[in-house]
Amino acid sequence: MRKKVTVIGAGNVGATLAHRLVDKQLADVVLIDILEGIPQGKGLDLLEAGPIEGYDVHIKGTNDYNDTANSDIVVMTAGFPRKPGMSRDDLLKANYDVVKAAVGQAARVSPNAILIVVTNPLDAMVQTALRVSGFPKHRVIGMAGVLDSARYRTFIAEALRVSVQDVEGLVLGGHGDTMVPVPSYTTIAGVPISQLMPKEQLDIIIDRTRKGGAEIVNLLKTGSAFYAPSAAVVQMIDAIFNDRKKILPCAAYLDGEYGIKGLFVGVPVKLGARGIQEIVQIKLTADEQAALEKSAAAVKELVEIIGV
Ligand code: APR
């Protein structure tokens, strides 16, 4: 039987994600939004592309959570995107209400699903989703690190004029200005970046990575990034459905790992059929560990504001 993915939010991220999922025939997709007609129209349009693209997976747009029942994965993208000058944190209260309502309804009808949260501010929203759903921590995951690492890898590949496929790099911590790109695990075809790029140049790339979301917001002016974020979610879903046990940086609920307790923070995790199968604990330099703890403190501040 085909897998079922519910995408909450039929806006830029949600609709692009639905598009990518059906194109790759990863699952049947239900696209749900609070707006009437938008998910139905986008869903039907994507369904009608099936005969041309050659996919038989089904996609349906709806406003009714009953249609989402028994999903294997629920992806939460609904919420308000950033406008220029707005930080992810400005979104906090508005999106808290959206996540609470939408995840609550989706979790009730898909009690065994794995939840992937995209809505910003990411780390606080995924913590909200954990509380509202009541799901175990291995089934609630935040998408941030795959995207932030992809930005980091893009900039490195461009600077060194090498294939993006040869660039490995981790970005840990919260999905905000305090995120932690980790130079000690950045390699080009296995060669440490320190041998190929001066520190000053890498520092500029790290800074650009931290501001990567804002760079897109400032260009678009009417919204935030959606192509790379949706691609990042697809990689996570592919790892889960194919039980790849792939190690990807994701926001995971930490219970003492990395010296952090009771918070979602971006760390390397092993993703497979059951969701987060392991939090991979890597050795960090003292500076990287300090930056991770600072980032966790910023996440904690947000979480305390909304009390989740
Ligand atoms: N239930 C369902 N859908 C909702 C709700 C709700 N309670 N509230 C808002 N939505 C829908 C909107 O109607 C809209 O279609 O969420 C969708 C959001 O789409 P966009 O405005 O295009 O935003 P998008 O770019 O997709 O970003 C969504 O992802 O990356 C993050 O920061 C970003 O938090 C933002 C989220």
Side-chain angles (χ1 to χ4, degrees):
M1 215 168 82
R2 278 201 297 262
K3 300 283 190 185
K4 179 172 177 180
V5 174
T6 285
V7 179
I8 309 177
N12 278 337
V13 177
T16 312
L17 172 61
H19 186 181
R20 291 188 189 280
L21 289 172
V22 293
D23 255 0
K24 288 187 185 278
Q25 309 194 42
L26 269 173
D28 290 332
V29 176
V30 177
L31 190 57
I32 186 163
D33 201 285
I34 204 164
L35 298 175
E36 283 175 24
I38 297 288
Q40 289 88 344
K42 291 185 179 180
L44 183 59
D45 197 8
L46 281 168
L47 187 70
E48 290 167 354
I52 305 166
E53 296 291 337
Y55 52 73
D56 286 307
V57 287
H58 197 268
I59 172 154
K60 177 183 177 149
T62 184
N63 307 116
D64 180 355
Y65 278 90
N66 289 322
D67 291 326
T68 73
N70 302 316
S71 291
D72 298 285
I73 292 184
V74 173
V75 186
M76 177 61 193
T77 80
F80 303 97
R82 265 197 292 175
K83 304 248 163 56
M86 222 174 152
S87 76
R88 288 188 183 91
D89 306 349
D90 292 334
L91 291 178
L92 180 64
K93 291 212 169 94
N95 282 352
Y96 169 72
D97 291 336
V98 173
V99 172
K100 203 171 151 196
V103 169
Q105 293 182 81
R108 240 189 323 275
V109 292
S110 296
N112 299 314
I114 291 171
L115 262 171
I116 298 176
V117 178
V118 181
T119 307
N120 276 315
L122 190 273
D123 310 277
M125 293 304 104
V126 64
Q127 186 128 345
T128 303
L130 177 87
R131 302 286 183 235
V132 170
S133 64
F135 286 2
K137 62 184 181 185
H138 67 275
R139 285 203 277 123
V140 184
I141 316 165
M143 188 293 292
V146 177
L147 168 64
D148 297 327
S149 302
R151 288 179 174 146
Y152 181 57
R153 293 165 62 201
T154 302
F155 303 149
I156 290 171
E158 287 219 311
L160 292 177
R161 295 176 190 272
V162 297
S163 166
V164 288
Q165 293 180 25
D166 282 341
V167 183
E168 284 295 338
L170 277 176
V171 178
L172 308 181
H175 186 49
D177 306 336
T178 60
M179 70 179 72
V180 188
V182 190
S184 60
Y185 290 98
T186 305
T187 57
I188 319 298
V191 179
I193 185 97
S194 55
Q195 294 183 23
L196 300 171
M197 187 184 281
K199 182 178 177 305
E200 301 69 44
Q201 191 181 3
L202 187 60
D203 283 345
I204 293 170
I205 287 177
I206 286 175
D207 188 54
R208 186 174 176 198
T209 302
R210 288 207 176 100
K211 297 173 183 153
E215 185 176 0
I216 306 274
V217 170
N218 289 333
L219 289 166
L220 293 179
K221 297 192 175 67
T222 54
S224 52
F226 52 98
Y227 291 117
S230 57
V233 177
V234 170
Q235 190 179 40
M236 292 166 67
I237 292 178
D238 172 75
I240 293 167
F241 282 165
N242 291 300
D243 194 21
R244 290 194 195 278
K245 300 174 172 47
K246 196 166 169 57
I247 295 175
L248 294 170
C250 296
Y253 188 80
L254 298 185
D255 204 6
E257 299 90 348
Y258 291 93
I260 297 165
K261 208 170 163 61
L263 275 184
F264 275 86
V265 176
V267 291
V269 303
K270 194 185 278 181
L271 271 194
R274 285 173 288 116
I276 295 180
Q277 300 194 179
E278 186 188 333
I279 290 175
V280 181
Q281 298 209 58
I282 55 172
K283 221 172 142 191
L284 298 175
T285 64
D287 282 354
E288 289 161 355
Q289 177 67 31
L292 188 67
E293 284 169 17
K294 187 173 159 217
S295 189
V299 172
K300 189 157 189 246
E301 259 178 47
L302 291 193
V303 163
E304 281 174 353
I305 296 172
I306 50 174
V308 289

